[in-house]
Amino acid sequence: MMEVAYVCEWEKRPKSNHYPSIPLVCAWSCRNLVAFTTDLKNEEDEKVSHMVHIIDTEHPWDVYSINSGHGEVISCLEWDQSGSRLLSADGDGQIKCWAMADHLVNSWESSLGSAEDGDPIIALSWLHNGVKLALHVEMSGSTNFGEKFSRVKFSPSLTLFGGKPMEGWLAVTVSGLVTVSLLKPNGQLLTASESLCRLRGRVALADIAFTGGGNIVVAATDGSSSSPVQFYKVCVSVVNEKCRIDTELLPSLFMRCTTDPVRRDKYPAVTHLKFLTRENSEQVLLCASSQMGSIVECWSLRKEGLPVNNIFQHRSPVVGEKQPTILKWRILSATNDLDRVSAVALPKLPISISNTDLKVASDTKFCPGLGLALAFHDGSIQILHRLSLHTMGVFYGSSSGSSQRPGDEPAIKRQRPGGPTVHFKALQFSWTSLALAGVDNHGKLHMIRVSPSMGQMLDMNTLLRHLLFLLEYCMVTGYDWWDVLLHVQPGMVHNLVEKLHEEYMRQNQALQQVLSTRIVAVKASLCKLSSATAARACDFHAKLLLIAISSTLKSLLRPHVLNTPDKSPGDRLAEICSKNTDTDIDKVMINLKTEEFVLDGPPLQSLQQLIQWVGDFVLYLMANLPNQGSVVRPGFGFLRDGWSLGMLREMMVMIRIWGLLKPGCLPIYTATSDNQDSMSLLFRLLTKLWLCSRDEGHPQEPDEPLIDECCLLPSQLLVPSMDWLPVNDGIICKLQGKHPLRLQFGKPYSLPGLNSTPQVEVFSRSPGVQRMDHLRCLYMGVCPTEDSKACTRCGCVTMLRSPNKTNAMKQWEQRWIKNCLCGGLWRRIPSTLSIRTPRKVVVTLDMTGQSVKIRRDICFIIHKNTARMSDCVRVLSKGLSFAPTYSTN
């Protein structure tokens, strides 16, 4: 039911070491970034630095450690709704907002912040942006995404002119102060503070939730279980460029354990106070503890009729008169005596929790989002039902690596160690509730799988339906799906991809267009998990690049006159190419208005590298058509994809027209004959293949003459080698075993995974192979000296700094400044020359025959690209723009 996927720990150092901070806090974003805190102690001067560490779950060793600059221990971490900004607050009242520098997950900076000097922050939250999605388990069998996931009417906490939600954050201090910081559109920060009530008192614990009407509810307690838990409504507004805060006292509650004579003094302190969800201020979880144990209670706010005096009960009611009601807290459930609770994690999946929905979830055995996690001081974790608090599963710690269903008796009684037990100080659910991230009292990070069935026996179809449901949820919301992949075994991949495609094709045309690239990225992630489908992952990555290049090239087209019909030039091109089945590219061009394709020379020339990729791709696809046999090779997925082949035809026509205007933009082919019209030949073969597969319902096999012509292609044109799939060094493909992986922060994990098996030759990477910039379609050389960035999801690599100066290419690069083609985030990777071994180097210029010895790391034997000694030194100092051979002496 629960298994440890991996454990990542700190390297032991002689002078400075990471220690878990007290309190230790952890936060998990919807982009699958995990942030947690430690204290870095320097043994020499005994200085303590309060650190914030941010990892991407796919590369946990690549930790980015921030010396936060907080003067006191960090008490709160909170991600925003987009998962790209992080708030940190400390025991001195300082709040800092961290954002990615250059949109890199391993580079963060703080440019904003607020402070309540000397007043410790105990609760922190971003203001709500008004976006709320409900997940309906009872509709999981529906074919319509709109019925499975519906938008809930929910007002933002504060709006700007036009209804746009205003960004900002809200915090509660230990002295009972609520402080709000608003981010104005001009970048300035507007702050205000107000007391929660007239008589300010000490607040030990607090939490924040939001209502559908745009209000904020704060729950607060002084830490004593015998004191009431107070609730306050907070309204934030902006009046005359000043922030205004209004507070109102709501009904309070006393914990039941304090009214029980047996337990009145048994649990004196409230240690955990949490709303069940941020968007539900009517259900709250309370945990009271002592040194020996804990008890947990779940409460709900309900409307109840107000009883009236007997005098008024017999009078005739007025028409339309309603019985007066009152809001009152009622206990839903409570646990028996438990071990001492050390951490609580609440589910983030927005599953509906009405009685009907809970019954449907129970009948379908769909458990994600139903359970909350409690970590105990003995190292165990229990999953409890979020309302009834009955036990759904138990995990006995990473040392034993086992878990079991409630009611199962362990074969051997667990022995409690004599020393301090390793236990979790912070615990967080992923956004689909299929994984838990825990940080223990030694500062180690544990990644734990949580079964979607909570250990219940499921048939394969039911399990696939549950995983498919959550993958669709991630597609619709834009959340990262890494935690879903944790539960996908190689044998499930093919069925999941097919079912996902079937569900996608049942959606309306508008929704299909919105999700067109996202579903391709999900399929690519799934196919990487199995060596049997790895070649299909190549096709999906190529399709993402194909879609991006097509939309970019079509966006350059402009109508000849302004009063044009509704269809754009790109739409007219697609319509004409789909109707015209002629195999002669010049005859297809006759039907087009060529004046719409007239562009200046510089944009066309600057996009030549993208045009070259399209030309090489078509050549590779057609040349390998005869090789697609029983073994699935890269390119196989395009043979029956009429939509993609049609897109390639459209681009070939565009490129042909542009070649008449600017011959330098045409793709370059190495032909065996000087009078060979390469583009016309490839278009003819491509059209024949497209005619076989344009009817996706009834595709036809390529005929023998077409295959014979494709067999002759390698003798007519030099077929390029395609760098199909980025080398992905992530951890997900290595987690399919049952044994947890042991990792260390700062040291990449080098155990080969599934994709390194040499079953498909395209995955092999020899040491001397050229590195590829997958976005710019450029070769960076064997040992590129430029700093690069890689996608956290697919491993796509591109240079960090742009080598281009033309506007057209810069616009292409700006499209991917925040995210990769697949939607993944970027992380900085060092250049290949960052690890150096000093050697003596001889550089020889072929033109002059002279040589000079230079103290460098690697010897480059320069071709005739440099003519003078100064050029040679310049090339060596700045890095090569071409790919020379090299040797070492």
Side-chain angles (χ1 to χ4, degrees), residues 103-317:
H103 308 287
L104 300 171
V105 297
N106 52 0
S107 182
W108 295 76
E109 59 186 4
S110 173
S111 57
L112 292 171
S114 60
E116 290 293 332
D117 292 337
D119 203 353
I121 306 294
I122 56 171
L124 182 66
S125 175
W126 291 87
L127 297 180
H128 204 282
N129 61 1
V131 177
K132 184 183 178 184
L133 202 70
L135 184 145
H136 302 286
V137 179
E138 73 277 9
M139 303 301 295
S140 61
S142 171
T143 58
N144 189 349
F145 285 176
E147 295 177 353
K148 296 179 183 180
F149 321 106
S150 63
R151 181 78 178 265
V152 178
K153 189 177 180 181
F154 208 87
S155 299
S157 303
L158 193 62
T159 56
L160 295 166
F161 179 77
K164 181 181 178 181
M166 194 169 189
E167 295 182 322
W169 58 82
L170 178 139
V172 180
T173 70
V174 76
S175 66
L177 204 65
V178 57
T179 174
V180 175
S181 299
L182 304 177
L183 294 172
K184 298 174 69 175
N186 60 6
Q188 295 180 350
L189 205 61
L190 193 64
T191 60
S193 299
E194 185 63 52
S195 176
L196 281 172
C197 57
R198 292 181 180 179
L199 297 176
R200 286 173 63 184
R202 178 180 179 273
V203 178
L205 295 172
D207 199 21
I208 302 166
F210 302 93
T211 67
N215 294 322
I216 304 164
V217 177
V218 174
T221 175
D222 62 3
S224 172
S225 60
S226 58
S227 300
V229 179
Q230 303 279 5
F231 295 85
Y232 305 90
K233 183 171 76 172
V234 179
C235 301
V236 182
S237 57
V238 177
V239 181
N240 297 327
E241 295 294 319
K242 292 184 178 180
C243 181
R244 177 178 172 181
I245 304 174
D246 297 311
T247 62
E248 177 185 339
L249 185 63
L250 298 176
S252 59
L253 67 87
F254 283 90
M255 291 191 69
R256 172 176 283 186
C257 64
T258 60
T259 60
D260 186 350
V262 179
R263 294 172 172 162
R264 180 175 299 171
D265 301 320
K266 190 173 183 179
Y267 304 108
V270 179
T271 53
H272 297 88
L273 166 62
K274 298 280 186 183
F275 286 106
L276 284 185
T277 63
R278 282 275 193 232
E279 288 90 10
N280 187 357
S281 61
E282 298 178 354
Q283 290 175 335
V284 67
L285 188 80
L286 295 164
C287 176
S289 303
S290 66
Q291 292 296 323
M292 301 304 295
S294 300
I295 191 170
V296 176
E297 298 178 358
C298 184
W299 291 74
S300 177
L301 185 65
R302 297 177 180 176
K303 277 186 179 180
E304 296 185 357
L306 187 65
V308 295
N309 193 282
N310 293 334
I311 299 176
F312 303 100
Q313 286 182 355
H314 301 290
R315 72 180 181 88
S316 57

Side-chain angles (χ1 to χ4, degrees), residues 455-511:
Q456 302 177 75
M457 295 301 294
L458 294 182
D459 61 275
M460 183 57 71
N461 288 333
T462 305
L463 179 58
L464 288 175
R465 189 168 64 246
H466 291 173
L467 295 177
L468 180 67
F469 188 44
L470 293 173
L471 284 173
E472 292 168 350
Y473 170 71
C474 291
M475 277 175 47
V476 171
T477 58
Y479 295 162
D480 190 75
W481 52 86
W482 179 88
D483 44 336
V484 183
L485 300 182
L486 277 176
H487 300 269
V488 178
Q489 295 299 316
M492 305 178 185
V493 171
H494 178 75
N495 288 334
L496 270 178
V497 171
E498 294 303 317
K499 290 179 181 294
L500 191 64
H501 181 74
E502 291 173 8
E503 293 296 321
Y504 169 77
M505 295 305 295
R506 291 170 180 164
Q507 309 311 310
N508 60 61
Q509 197 66 34
L511 186 57

Side-chain angles (χ1 to χ4, degrees), residues 22-41:
I22 301 176
L24 192 151
V25 286
C26 177
W28 194 328
S29 82
C30 63
R31 307 301 299 271
N32 279 324
L33 300 177
V34 176
F36 62 100
T37 60
T38 64
D39 290 340
L40 182 62
K41 296 182 181 179

